Amino acid sequence: MYTILVCDDDKEIVKAIEIYLTKEGYHVVKAYNGREALDIINKEEVHLVLLDIMMPEMDGMTAAARIRKDKTVPIIMLSAKSEDYDKIMGLNNGADDYVTKPFNPLELIARVNSQIRRYTSLGSIHQEKENEENVYITGDLKINDNTKQVTVEGKEVKLTPTEYNILKFLTKNKGIVFSIEQIYENVWEDEAYGAENIIAVHIRHIREKIEINPREPKYLKVIWGIGYKIEKL
Amino acid sequence: MEKRIENSAILKIIAYILLFVFVILTGYSALGYIAYKEMPEIATNKPYYETQAFADTFETHIAINMSRLDSFIQNYQDYQEEVQAVDQETVSESSVLEDYTYFHSQEQSYLEKIQNGEILYESLYSNMGASFRYLIIKDNLKITNIVQTGDTDTVEKLIQTIRKDSYHWSYVKGEVGTNIANLEKDKVIYDPQIEDIIEGDYEVYFSYQPNTTEYTAFERNNAIYELIQKHYIGYEMLPLYAFLSIILFVYLTVSMGHSRKKEEIYCNFIDRIPLEILLFLSGMAVSFEVLGLYVMFIDISQIMYERITIPFISILSIIAMIYITIMITYSSMIRRIKAKIFWKNTIVYKCWAFLKRVIWGNITKFMGRLSANWRLSIYYFGFCIISVILFLLALDNGFCVFLLLVWGIWVFMKITDHLKQLKKIRDMINHIYDGKTDFLLNEEEFKGNLRNVAKYLNDIAGGFSNAIEENLKSERMKTELITNVSHDLKTPLTSIINYVDLLKAENIENEKAKEYIEVLDNKSQRLKKLTEDLVEASKASSGNIKLTMEKLKVKELIHQVTGEFEDKFEARKLETILSYPEENVLILADSRYLYRVLENIYSNIAKYAKEDTRVYVDIVKNNKKVLIAIKNISKEQLNISADELMQRFVRGDSSRNTEGSGLGLSIAKSLTELQGGSFDIYLDGDLFKVVIEFPIVEE
């Protein structure tokens, strides 16, 4: 059983998160400011930290930086501050993810699961580089062209053949931006006349399947007015 | 400011002293040069009596005495002829007596002496005193200025006496005998003054015995010669002295007015004296000093004969005084020029400025009180009068033609200048009208009333820009406030959403309770959306957003967005009809924020479009712009104007029951405008049309 430290000065929020996480089978320890969180981390084994930013005594930014000094435990920032600047600050201070309040409980749980999986099985996935033939990997997204299987963080994702082909093509060429036309020509090997919308719809569907939050995709990025790409992670 | 060594006072004083020394040396060398050209022997140890100058003077005296004695002899011979004529009764005795009074009075002794061959001891015609002696013999005539003694009673003795003198010269029957260097025979006898006389069978003897007690030209020249010889220092160094003097002078001129401590030109009390007074005073001073020098030189000429040395210190001090006076005046003038007060600090200028202030000032004051029409009339009347006068004068005067021309050009320039100023003011008004308030007029460029106008305009522009700045500041503060408030709202909202969600998961049997929970869920989600949109709307409308502009393909963007909303549209049976030009059309925008714009429009359509209708999205290339027109049919009746729709918190349905914050279109409009595009809404019955316009950019 994995232990998760939830730290927020709002006790009701901590309580609600506890309920969600306990349901998911996690053990939850609670803290109400940065100092308490640090004390707990030094005493107990913690597998993930959920950290609010604005807290009395010691704020989340400072706490995150202190934790990062000698711990590799994943940290998810949880804050009402939603400016780009705040997110960048959080990630720079050692956070692995940033969730803005008010959050969708399902999304929060998905992100917690993702981080836990990465942290506990660290190495196994990463060692599994593109050493096999016809296997394409970026971050925790893996496409095995031999078995036609797509997995995200080890979980299999069901894709239609068209979606699969598009994702395979983009993952094969990760980091490169392709316009709808280019994707069409490469996947269908045909002129893209009149089919542009279909690609966009497919991309939308793929995102809904592989991303935790399709509006803020991690793998399949939309560059509006230019094209799509699979992020090189 | 670095302290510049070349401006230090000590260095300057040294330079002033050195300049004085070198100027004196230059002048002294120059005098030496002149003296050398006159008498080259001063550079040697030769005494005066061995110089060319002495020989020349001696020769001059021979010439003078010869011609005088000759005329005496001629007169005597004429007298004798006249006397014979009286004897032959051809002329009257009285006329002879009148013409030759002198001989007549001496007649007896002279005639007797001459007829007896006796010597005439006659010094009447010598201007050289006893030291310069002569003996002239012609036929019976023997004349000398030597005093008759026992040693000089015969011609032989006289000749011996003359030959005993230090310097002598004689001419006897074509033979010259002399002991004077540089006095050649030819030089004397071919002197045009003497040539004829000497040819006339004369025996001539001249001699000079230096005698310091007697004042003669020789003695004077000798004294001057010895004086110069004693103090002669050569002239070889003259160019060096002159060069050094010039260098020092230039250095002093350049450094005048600068000091080590101050950056600007400094002026002392002398520079505050009006120029004319300064020049008058220094002129007076120099005149007195020169007078003093002159007096001193007269004195020196007295002293010279008594063989006393020149009082150098006195002369030097007077020259130093002249030098100081001139340098004070000169440096003051240079400082005035450098400080640009040369003309300002003159009595003439002050008088002129006073007159200008009083007369011109009153005229302008008077003109200023008149109305513009009157002023214009006076100007025009004056222009006409002067023109007519000049024209009439120009009819028969060339200079007045020129004046007329100048007058015409001057008036033309004045008018164009005025028009230029007016144009600048007009431009400024345009700037202010366009809201470009950072542009200011240079008030110095304007004259008269226009200067006030320029000043007022600048003030207005300043006021505007202040107001705009204030406005921006308050907008920023508003955004900050909204951001903070929304942050504070979000924390309790998080709990509400979470606990509503937890409540939903509870096993509740009561149907009503379930219904209420559903309402809570909806409203809390809307509240969430509202807080997010509120921040965004406030940021977008105040321009508090950092944009990353890049070139985007319009067609690609529309395809992407349409694809994103395909499912939502399908759920409401909306069909999208796209039309676009074949070629790629590029615009410059921030892709994230432009998506936000389109997202808002599309989600509006997904919410408010009538089910089972078509949505038209047209991309139209229009000259240098691209239009994105999105049309749909509204589900509800739109009892509202397009402008109102774009205002914050206004929605097409007045019930406010459906989801959405009412900020969507307002945000879309603000974001589009921030990116340099335009955003318009057109309503026609139930037709709802959004038109976004962006300038096209090249690939």
Side-chain angles (χ1 to χ4, degrees):
Chain A
M1 203 203 286
Y2 299 120
T3 306
I4 295 175
L5 172 63
V6 181
C7 179
D8 195 319
D9 60 333
D10 189 321
K11 291 188 178 164
E12 280 69 36
I13 291 178
V14 176
K15 177 79 184 148
I17 294 171
E18 187 191 6
I19 295 166
Y20 286 122
L21 292 178
T22 315
K23 264 192 214 164
E24 280 290 306
Y26 292 111
H27 173 238
V28 173
V29 283
K30 293 174 276 187
Y32 301 107
N33 63 50
R35 199 163 297 286
E36 282 178 30
L38 279 178
D39 289 345
I40 291 166
I41 282 175
N42 287 333
K43 276 184 232 144
E44 295 177 39
E45 199 197 354
V46 172
H47 298 94
L48 187 136
V49 184
L50 277 173
L51 205 54
D52 184 24
I53 290 179
M54 304 254 278
M55 288 186 297
E57 291 208 37
M58 185 191 282
D59 68 25
M61 291 285 182
T62 318
R66 293 273 177 89
I67 294 167
R68 260 297 156 270
K69 264 188 184 170
D70 46 14
K71 294 272 196 304
T72 54
V73 57
I75 300 170
I76 299 178
M77 285 287 185
L78 197 60
S79 174
K81 286 181 156 189
S82 57
E83 306 294 304
D84 285 349
Y85 168 79
D86 300 311
K87 290 181 186 171
I88 291 163
M89 277 290 288
L91 295 173
N92 280 348
N93 265 300
D96 298 275
D97 209 343
Y98 194 104
V99 177
T100 53
K101 290 179 192 171
F103 50 84
N104 179 345
L106 292 175
E107 188 188 336
L108 180 71
I109 288 162
R111 286 183 190 274
V112 168
N113 287 342
S114 163
Q115 290 296 335
I116 287 281
R117 211 175 296 125
R118 277 184 62 102
Y119 180 58
T120 51
S121 59
L122 190 71
S124 57
I125 286 174
H126 278 260
Q127 275 165 7
E128 197 184 340
K129 288 279 171 199
E130 291 177 24
N131 45 9
E132 286 173 63
E133 236 179 274
N134 297 330
V135 171
Y136 313 107
I137 292 170
T138 181
D140 292 329
L141 172 71
K142 180 183 165 191
I143 299 172
N144 190 333
D145 201 28
N146 298 317
T147 59
K148 308 286 179 195
Q149 265 186 323
V150 178
T151 53
V152 178
E153 293 161 357
K155 270 194 204 163
E156 193 175 340
V157 178
K158 292 277 175 216
L159 294 179
T160 67
T162 315
E163 287 164 6
Y164 177 80
N165 282 335
I166 295 170
L167 184 63
K168 189 182 82 179
F169 169 69
L170 288 174
T171 314
K172 239 162 111 179
N173 303 291
K174 59 186 173 188
I176 304 169
V177 181
F178 291 96
S179 69
I180 290 172
E181 207 172 326
Q182 283 170 319
I183 293 171
Y184 192 90
E185 281 163 13
N186 280 286
V187 175
W188 272 265
E189 290 163 355
D190 199 354
E191 283 285 306
Y193 189 74
E196 288 93 339
N197 279 346
I198 299 167
I199 298 286
V201 176
H202 283 311
I203 297 271
R204 167 87 194 168
H205 289 158
I206 297 168
R207 266 178 25 234
E208 277 162 3
K209 286 174 182 175
I210 66 166
E211 302 285 355
I212 292 173
N213 182 354
R215 285 178 62 85
E216 288 173 39
K218 180 179 170 191
Y219 301 109
L220 215 178
K221 293 267 164 88
V222 188
I223 295 111
W224 301 104
I226 295 171
Y228 303 98
K229 69 165 176 179
I230 285 285
E231 196 76 55
K232 199 173 187 174
L233 293 168
Chain B
M1 178 210 167
E2 52 175 322
K3 290 190 171 180
R4 294 169 61 150
I5 187 79
E6 65 264 30
N7 291 333
S8 88
I10 295 168
L11 204 66
K12 280 201 230 177
I13 289 169
I14 292 170
Y16 271 114
I17 293 167
L18 282 177
L19 175 63
F20 178 66
V21 170
F22 284 119
V23 163
I24 294 292
L25 285 172
T26 308
Y28 197 77
S29 303
L31 286 174
Y33 179 70
I34 293 165
Y36 175 80
K37 282 285 146 193
E38 286 295 311
M39 299 180 282
E41 295 87 350
I42 54 166
T44 66
N45 284 330
K46 274 189 189 169
Y48 173 68
Y49 296 104
E50 289 173 25
T51 65
Q52 186 66 50
F54 171 69
D56 291 345
T57 315
F58 199 92
E59 188 241 316
T60 311
H61 283 291
I62 293 172
I64 292 165
N65 284 289
M66 275 306 295
S67 63
R68 283 181 174 176
L69 288 165
D70 183 54
S71 55
F72 173 79
I73 290 159
Q74 288 300 326
N75 278 347
Y76 171 68
Q77 285 170 350
D78 290 348
Y79 173 70
Q80 272 189 317
E81 280 170 22
E82 291 289 331
V83 170
Q84 281 167 14
V86 170
D87 292 346
Q88 289 161 18
E89 293 176 353
T90 51
V91 290
S92 72
E93 197 177 343
S94 59
S95 68
V96 175
L97 291 178
E98 264 173 44
D99 287 348
Y100 300 96
T101 328
Y102 175 75
F103 288 106
H104 193 70
S105 62
Q106 303 272 339
E107 187 186 5
Q108 287 309 312
S109 59
Y110 272 15
L111 289 178
E112 268 173 38
K113 279 179 184 171
I114 291 166
Q115 275 159 13
N116 294 341
E118 283 178 44
I119 299 160
L120 290 177
Y121 294 95
E122 186 54 66
S123 62
L124 275 176
Y125 290 91
S126 172
N127 65 338
M128 295 294 285
S131 323
F132 188 77
R133 312 187 207 212
Y134 59 80
L135 170 66
I136 313 277
I137 299 165
K138 192 189 185 208
D139 307 329
N140 274 348
L141 267 163
K142 302 176 190 80
I143 303 172
T144 182
N145 66 338
I146 298 170
V147 180
Q148 187 178 16
T149 60
D151 293 336
T152 58
D153 49 2
T154 65
V155 170
E156 286 70 32
K157 280 181 183 169
L158 278 171
I159 291 170
Q160 269 179 11
T161 309
I162 279 177
R163 290 224 162 119
K164 258 190 268 168
D165 281 348
S166 301
Y167 307 101
H168 58 80
W169 182 87
S170 63
Y171 178 80
V172 184
K173 292 178 186 115
E175 288 291 321
V176 174
T178 182
N179 65 345
I180 298 169
N182 307 320
L183 196 63
E184 292 90 15
K185 165 199 163 192
D186 288 357
K187 201 173 170 184
V188 180
I189 57 176
Y190 292 120
D191 184 317
Q193 279 189 13
I194 325 175
E195 197 180 355
D196 295 339
I197 308 169
I198 284 182
E199 288 301 305
D201 201 19
Y202 276 103
E203 267 182 60
V204 185
Y205 302 89
F206 286 102
S207 76
Y208 178 70
Q209 179 62 42
N211 180 359
T212 52
T213 59
E214 201 169 24
Y215 171 46
T216 63
F218 295 120
E219 282 306 318
R220 194 189 69 221
N221 288 353
N222 183 30
I224 293 170
Y225 178 83
E226 280 178 2
L227 187 78
I228 294 171
Q229 197 178 39
K230 191 172 156 193
H231 298 287
Y232 181 69
I233 56 162
Y235 62 89
E236 294 82 2
M237 301 289 273
L238 176 63
L240 179 69
Y241 294 146
F243 177 71
L244 286 172
S245 303
I246 290 167
I247 292 285
L248 285 165
F249 184 72
V250 169
Y251 157 69
L252 282 169
T253 306
V254 169
S255 72
M256 272 167 195
H258 294 286
S259 77
R260 274 183 97 180
K261 286 167 200 147
K262 277 195 274 176
E263 179 77 58
E264 68 272 23
I265 303 295
Y266 74 86
C267 290
N268 58 23
F269 71 98
I270 293 170
D271 304 335
R272 284 189 273 278
I273 302 169
L275 187 68
E276 291 94 336
I277 293 176
L278 178 74
L279 287 178
F280 176 75
L281 287 177
S282 64
M284 290 285 284
V286 170
S287 306
F288 277 118
E289 283 149 6
V290 169
L291 193 66
L293 205 61
Y294 184 68
V295 168
M296 195 166 278
F297 267 111
I298 290 173
D299 221 23
I300 288 164
S301 64
Q302 300 295 331
I303 289 160
M304 214 151 57
Y305 306 124
E306 293 158 33
R307 290 287 197 277
I308 293 171
T309 351
I310 299 174
F312 258 122
I313 296 302
S314 330
I315 294 174
L316 214 58
S317 51
I318 287 194
I319 291 174
M321 279 162 71
I322 294 174
Y323 172 77
I324 289 166
T325 317
I326 288 173
M327 285 320 274
I328 285 172
T329 315
Y330 176 73
S331 67
S332 175
M333 283 168 76
I334 291 296
R335 275 197 301 273
R336 283 158 200 249
I337 289 169
K338 283 182 181 177
K340 300 193 173 69
I341 54 161
F342 190 80
W343 292 117
K344 275 184 188 165
N345 193 13
T346 59
I347 293 171
V348 170
Y349 178 86
K350 279 177 181 168
C351 291
W352 182 68
F354 175 76
L355 285 177
K356 191 184 161 188
R357 201 173 62 238
V358 170
I359 295 171
W360 190 245
N362 279 328
I363 288 174
T364 42
K365 215 188 271 173
F366 171 72
M367 295 292 273
R369 275 200 224 106
L370 293 174
S371 73
N373 280 341
W374 268 105
R375 220 166 359 180
L376 193 64
S377 308
I378 289 174
Y379 283 144
Y380 186 69
F381 192 60
F383 168 72
C384 287
I385 286 181
I386 294 173
S387 300
V388 167
I389 290 171
L390 278 174
F391 180 73
L392 290 177
L393 287 172
L395 286 177
D396 58 359
N397 189 329
F399 181 68
C400 284
V401 173
F402 173 72
L403 270 187
L404 188 65
L405 208 67
V406 171
W407 165 246
I409 291 167
W410 185 77
V411 170
F412 178 74
M413 302 251 283
K414 275 273 164 192
I415 291 170
T416 39
D417 188 46
H418 195 78
L419 288 177
K420 263 186 213 160
Q421 293 176 25
L422 280 178
K423 187 182 179 302
K424 275 182 189 159
I425 283 172
R426 211 168 47 231
D427 288 349
M428 179 68 181
I429 292 170
N430 281 340
H431 279 304
I432 294 173
Y433 181 77
D434 292 343
K436 288 181 216 149
T437 52
D438 48 347
F439 180 84
L440 283 183
L441 290 170
N442 180 6
E443 287 166 29
E444 296 292 309
E445 288 175 13
F446 295 91
K447 281 173 198 144
N449 284 352
L450 287 183
R451 184 171 290 189
N452 281 338
V453 174
K455 190 175 173 305
Y456 298 153
L457 271 181
N458 280 346
D459 287 353
I460 291 170
F464 267 141
S465 80
N466 277 347
I468 289 168
E469 229 165 75
E470 283 291 316
N471 201 13
L472 276 178
K473 206 170 142 193
S474 82
E475 274 289 336
R476 258 204 307 280
M477 280 175 68
K478 225 186 316 184
T479 306
E480 231 166 78
L481 182 74
I482 289 170
T483 313
N484 288 338
V485 167
S486 87
H487 175 256
D488 288 344
L489 287 175
K490 277 176 189 171
T491 310
L493 190 58
T494 310
S495 287
I496 294 171
I497 289 173
N498 288 340
Y499 283 95
V500 167
D501 188 66
L502 287 169
L503 207 54
K504 270 165 78 183
E506 289 297 317
N507 217 350
I508 295 170
E509 294 293 320
N510 192 327
E511 280 302 312
K512 274 206 167 162
K514 271 188 177 172
E515 197 191 319
Y516 298 160
I517 290 168
E518 200 53 42
V519 173
L520 280 177
D521 192 23
N522 275 341
K523 296 301 161 186
S524 60
Q525 289 301 334
R526 229 194 105 197
L527 202 55
K528 177 187 169 184
K529 178 89 179 125
L530 252 172
T531 54
E532 281 166 4
D533 282 1
L534 195 62
V535 174
E536 190 155 14
S538 126
K539 278 207 265 180
S541 68
S542 66
N544 217 343
I545 282 175
K546 224 185 196 173
L547 294 170
T548 324
M549 304 296 269
E550 53 190 327
K551 286 178 183 171
L552 307 178
K553 290 176 191 160
V554 180
K555 205 162 76 182
E556 185 89 11
L557 178 73
I558 294 298
H559 280 311
Q560 285 176 320
V561 179
T562 311
E564 287 291 308
F565 280 86
E566 188 76 17
D567 292 353
K568 278 186 184 168
F569 280 19
E570 223 162 66
R572 305 207 53 223
K573 291 183 189 152
L574 295 169
E575 194 190 341
T576 322
I577 312 286
L578 294 184
S579 81
Y580 42 80
E582 265 308 300
E583 73 264 35
N584 264 328
V585 181
L586 292 176
I587 58 168
L588 198 64
D590 182 306
S591 74
R592 253 173 74 197
Y593 287 112
L594 192 55
Y595 170 65
R596 287 285 290 130
V597 172
L598 290 166
E599 190 192 19
N600 283 352
I601 299 167
Y602 271 71
S603 57
N604 252 16
I605 293 171
K607 275 179 236 160
Y608 303 119
K610 192 174 168 64
E611 246 178 73
D612 216 353
T613 56
R614 279 181 282 272
V615 177
Y616 289 87
V617 182
D618 302 319
I619 303 170
V620 183
K621 218 178 127 183
N622 187 358
N623 204 3
K624 295 203 162 166
K625 293 197 164 177
V626 60
L627 284 171
I628 305 167
I630 304 166
K631 289 173 272 189
N632 73 288
I633 303 294
S634 173
K635 173 168 62 174
E636 305 278 337
Q637 205 180 325
L638 294 164
N639 294 323
I640 195 168
S641 75
D643 279 347
E644 276 180 285
L645 254 184
M646 281 184 290
Q647 282 168 13
R648 296 178 211 175
F649 303 113
V650 175
R651 285 180 301 154
D653 60 330
S654 45
S655 61
R656 295 200 170 210
N657 272 335
T658 41
E659 54 178 317
S661 62
L663 288 168
L665 290 178
S666 160
I667 293 172
K669 185 177 166 66
S670 300
L671 285 177
T672 309
E673 281 164 2
L674 274 180
Q675 293 172 73
S678 73
F679 184 99
D680 287 295
I681 292 175
Y682 302 95
L683 301 177
D684 190 357
D686 287 342
L687 179 72
F688 180 86
K689 180 180 171 190
V690 178
V691 176
I692 299 171
E693 211 174 6
F694 269 96
I696 295 173
V697 291
E698 296 298 312
E699 192 125 16

